[in-house]
């Protein structure tokens, strides 16, 4: 079941999403020490949000979570005005296109972290998210038809290729965008170097030992253990499912993979941001 925003062509999958944030977010007041984390769904935002929070705070252990503080400062789920109630430093997390972001992002040069992931793995992860998260009321069960929905953008947050294009345009056009671009596959391959790069962007300089502790505290096993109970299947298998690079190979047929590559090249071939390694 998809909820279409009345005035903007934007899709939501869960009734808990507050569609009016889409209208209100551009005018929300950002603070100088805010960090905005943007990603297309299923690109690893739960992971990077936790990492960013630890890097900003200098801590190496995560907070105990409960239903009240579990929302990861996710703008889509906040009620109107409640973003203002979040204490600083805020790591505001959302899946919106650049056009829907707070205007203060550019005005105040607020630190923005963009996370992206190989769209094939995103498609697989989103498929499991749709089928397992009860709120979605998604009754489809087969991956091939889901894949067509995904490519057509009939999923929440619309089409991944449009999302990436929106941000790439913004990066090219707005030199005031204070942005750090992170890639899920690079985070997996070299967490120490990537966490250090992110820390630097956040104005922090940590010893390797410290970063190693952050890596451990944010491993998928730790996160599943600490937060898994928050989701509808109670096991963590939705938000902390496999956490691997290349799971698409277990789901795509060769023909689907070739078709998807063709679509991707057509949509993203000219893109600099789009530098996914096809052999992942
Ligand atoms: P998979 O479904 O491929 O396993 P999001 O947080 O944006 O919803 O993204 C969810 C994806 O990130 C899931 O991918 C999930 O397993 C993976 N993920 C979550 N926590 C992770 C972690 N600590 N390390 C690596 N991957 C993680």
């Amino acid at each position: 079941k998809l909820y279409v925003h009345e005035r903007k062509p934007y899709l939501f999958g869960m009734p808990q999403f507050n569609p009016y944030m889409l209208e209100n977010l551009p005018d929300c007041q950002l603070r100088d020490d805010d960090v905005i984390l943007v990603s297309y769904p299923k690109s690893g935002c739960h992971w990077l949000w936790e990492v960013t929070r630890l890097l900003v705070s200098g801590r190496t252990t995560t907070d105990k979570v409960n239903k009240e503080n579990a929302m990861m400062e996710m703008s889509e789920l906040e009620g109107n005005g409640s973003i203002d109630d979040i204490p600083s430093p805020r790591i505001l997390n959302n899946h919106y296109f650049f056009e829907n972001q707070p205007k203060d992002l550019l005005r105040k040069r607020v630190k923005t972290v963009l996370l992206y992931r190989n769209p094939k793995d995103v498609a697989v992860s989103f498929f499991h998210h749709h089928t397992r998260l009860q709120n979605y009321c998604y009754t489809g069960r087969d991956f091939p038809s889901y894949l067509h929905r995904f490519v057509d953008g009939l999923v929440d947050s619309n089409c991944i290729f449009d999302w990436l294009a929106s941000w790439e345009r913004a990066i090219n056009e707005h030199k005031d965008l204070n942005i750090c671009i992170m890639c899920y596959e690079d985070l997996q391959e070299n967490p120490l170097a990537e966490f250090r790069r992110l820390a630097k962007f956040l104005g922090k300089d940590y010893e390797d030992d410290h970063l190693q502790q952050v890596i451990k505290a944010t491993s998928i096993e730790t996160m599943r253990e600490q937060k898994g109970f928050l989701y509808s299947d109670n096991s963590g298998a939705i938000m902390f499912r496999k956490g691997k690079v290349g799971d698409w190979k277990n789901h795509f047929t060769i023909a689907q993979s070739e078709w998807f590559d063709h679509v991707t090249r057509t949509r993203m071939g000219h893109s600099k941001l789009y530098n996914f390694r096809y052999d992942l």
Side-chain angles (χ1 to χ4, degrees), residues 161-173:
F161 302 122
D162 293 338
W163 189 93
L164 287 162
S166 154
W167 278 98
E168 181 154 15
R169 240 185 346 264
I171 291 163
N172 291 334
E173 283 173 12

Side-chain angles (χ1 to χ4, degrees), residues 206-265:
Y206 295 116
E207 301 286 336
D208 285 1
D209 270 3
H210 181 100
L211 293 175
Q212 291 289 8
Q213 288 179 58
V214 175
I215 292 172
K216 203 162 162 219
T218 56
S219 74
I220 190 160
E221 292 78 20
T222 311
M223 290 189 65
R224 190 185 289 128
E225 210 175 281
Q226 294 192 337
K227 296 179 181 229
F229 72 93
L230 292 164
Y231 301 100
S232 49
D233 74 345
N234 263 326
S235 71
I238 299 168
M239 298 304 173
F240 314 104
R241 194 182 63 92
K242 282 195 178 173
K244 295 267 182 272
V245 170
D247 190 35
W248 65 267
K249 290 177 185 163
N250 299 318
H251 292 77
F252 282 64
T253 62
I254 290 173
Q256 281 167 344
S257 172
E258 285 175 359
W259 168 71
F260 195 90
D261 287 348
H262 172 74
V263 173
T264 310
R265 267 195 299 274

Side-chain angles (χ1 to χ4, degrees), residues 31-250:
R31 304 173 194 153
D32 292 336
D33 62 351
D34 282 337
V35 178
I36 308 282
L37 171 60
V38 297
S39 60
Y40 187 81
K42 310 320 287 176
S43 302
C45 73
H46 285 73
W47 183 22
L48 203 61
W49 185 81
E50 203 66 65
V51 172
T52 307
R53 202 157 65 131
L54 291 187
L55 294 177
V56 164
S57 68
R59 288 185 295 115
T60 54
T61 50
T62 53
D63 290 335
K64 196 165 170 43
V65 280
N66 53 46
K67 294 265 180 208
E68 279 67 51
N69 67 7
M71 285 311 160
M72 291 199 318
E73 302 175 7
M74 177 141 208
S75 304
E76 285 94 327
L77 295 169
E78 297 287 344
N80 295 346
S82 66
I83 279 187
D84 297 338
D85 300 334
I86 300 173
S88 292
R90 301 184 296 188
I91 318 292
L92 299 172
N93 174 26
N94 75 66
H95 296 316
Y96 291 135
F97 284 47
F98 172 75
E99 291 74 16
N100 306 119
Q101 298 295 326
K103 293 184 198 123
D104 275 356
L105 207 72
L106 292 176
R107 263 199 305 244
K108 295 191 170 171
R109 302 205 71 234
V110 168
K111 289 195 174 89
T112 305
V113 178
L114 179 145
L115 172 65
Y116 72 93
R117 182 181 190 189
N118 182 345
K120 284 181 173 169
D121 277 338
V122 171
V124 169
S125 187
F126 220 174
F127 170 67
H128 290 293
H129 179 102
H130 273 83
T131 52
R132 293 180 186 180
L133 207 61
Q134 286 153 16
N135 297 331
Y136 271 80
C137 307
Y138 180 69
T139 51
R141 283 290 172 267
D142 67 302
F143 182 67
S145 54
Y146 180 82
L147 194 57
H148 280 276
R149 279 193 88 97
F150 179 80
V151 164
D152 291 344
L154 294 173
V155 291
D156 58 40
S157 301
N158 303 12
C159 178
I160 188 168
F161 302 122
D162 293 338
W163 189 93
L164 287 162
S166 154
W167 278 98
E168 181 154 15
R169 240 185 346 264
I171 291 163
N172 291 334
E173 283 173 12
H174 299 288
K175 299 300 165 218
D176 279 345
L177 201 55
N178 188 5
I179 196 161
C180 174
I181 301 170
M182 315 259 9
C183 164
Y184 182 90
E185 288 75 21
D186 292 341
L187 282 161
Q188 287 274 20
E189 194 173 297
N190 199 346
L192 189 63
E194 289 303 285
F195 282 29
R196 192 185 298 113
R197 184 166 72 84
L198 177 59
K200 229 175 182 166
F201 174 73
L202 298 168
K204 309 284 181 183
D205 192 9
Y206 295 116
E207 301 286 336
D208 285 1
D209 270 3
H210 181 100
L211 293 175
Q212 291 289 8
Q213 288 179 58
V214 175
I215 292 172
K216 203 162 162 219
T218 56
S219 74
I220 190 160
E221 292 78 20
T222 311
M223 290 189 65
R224 190 185 289 128
E225 210 175 281
Q226 294 192 337
K227 296 179 181 229
F229 72 93
L230 292 164
Y231 301 100
S232 49
D233 74 345
N234 263 326
S235 71
I238 299 168
M239 298 304 173
F240 314 104
R241 194 182 63 92
K242 282 195 178 173
K244 295 267 182 272
V245 170
D247 190 35
W248 65 267
K249 290 177 185 163
N250 299 318

